[in-house]
Amino acid sequence: METTLVLLKPSCVQRQLIGEIVNRFERRGLQVAGMKMMQLDDNILREHYAHLVDRPFFPALAQSMKASPVVAMALRGVEAVAVVRGMTGYTNGRKADPGTIRGDYAMSNQQNIVHASDSPENAKIELERFFRPEEIFEYNHALLSFLYATDER
Ligand code: UDP
Ligand code: MG
């Protein structure tokens, strides 16, 4: 099992799509292992988007991520990182495939609804960035035997 980090960005929260996006992850079979609303600030954003701080669009990106609270989620499943990235779609919503979250809800390269960790290594780092250990739960997933074959779990 892997756990991955998703942020429902201000573009999701403001457009009142929280329930709709959470529903997509739950329907896929991902377990919600942690979830909370939080207001991001420049410190956490400079860390989270360290690969982008020198890009000209970074100030606008930071502004867009501070425009309202976000919802941080820890999602668990087999190969959860790759599954969630696949569901997220290409960064630019205008180029993202229909059927992906960005391809279904976004028209923007920046206001693109969700963040999702891009590798298991980064998922671990990002989960620690947004959650305290006791905010991520291990609990029985009653439907597990109907979500996966025995040798997949
Ligand atoms: N972003 C932007 N302009 C760009 C590229 C990215 O505003 O030209 C924003 C966008 O919100 C994106 C985030 O920066 O989701 C992180 O960029 P990254 O390349 O890591 O894309 P992601 O992993 O989110 O698809
Ligand atoms: Mg990224």
Side-chain angles (χ1 to χ4, degrees), residues 92-129:
N92 185 338
R94 294 190 297 277
K95 298 196 173 115
D97 292 328
T100 65
I101 291 167
R102 287 165 172 170
D104 286 350
Y105 298 98
M107 283 291 285
S108 170
N109 196 22
Q110 183 163 88
Q111 306 283 27
N112 57 7
I113 312 291
V114 283
H115 165 83
S117 304
D118 62 7
S119 67
E121 298 71 36
N122 282 337
K124 187 172 179 299
I125 293 166
E126 293 181 351
L127 286 165
E128 285 171 9
R129 179 173 299 138

Side-chain angles (χ1 to χ4, degrees), residues 46-67:
R46 272 195 293 267
E47 207 181 288
H48 185 61
Y49 287 131
H51 61 300
L52 300 173
V53 281
D54 296 328
R55 303 290 290 274
F57 60 81
F58 180 76
L61 170 60
Q63 205 53 47
S64 76
M65 291 297 289
K66 292 186 296 183

Side-chain angles (χ1 to χ4, degrees), residues 2 13 30 33 45-46 55 75 84 93-94 102 110 149-150:
E2 274 176 5
V13 173
L30 290 150
L45 285 166
R46 272 195 293 267
R55 303 290 290 274
L75 293 176
V84 170
R94 294 190 297 277
R102 287 165 172 170
Q110 183 163 88
T150 317

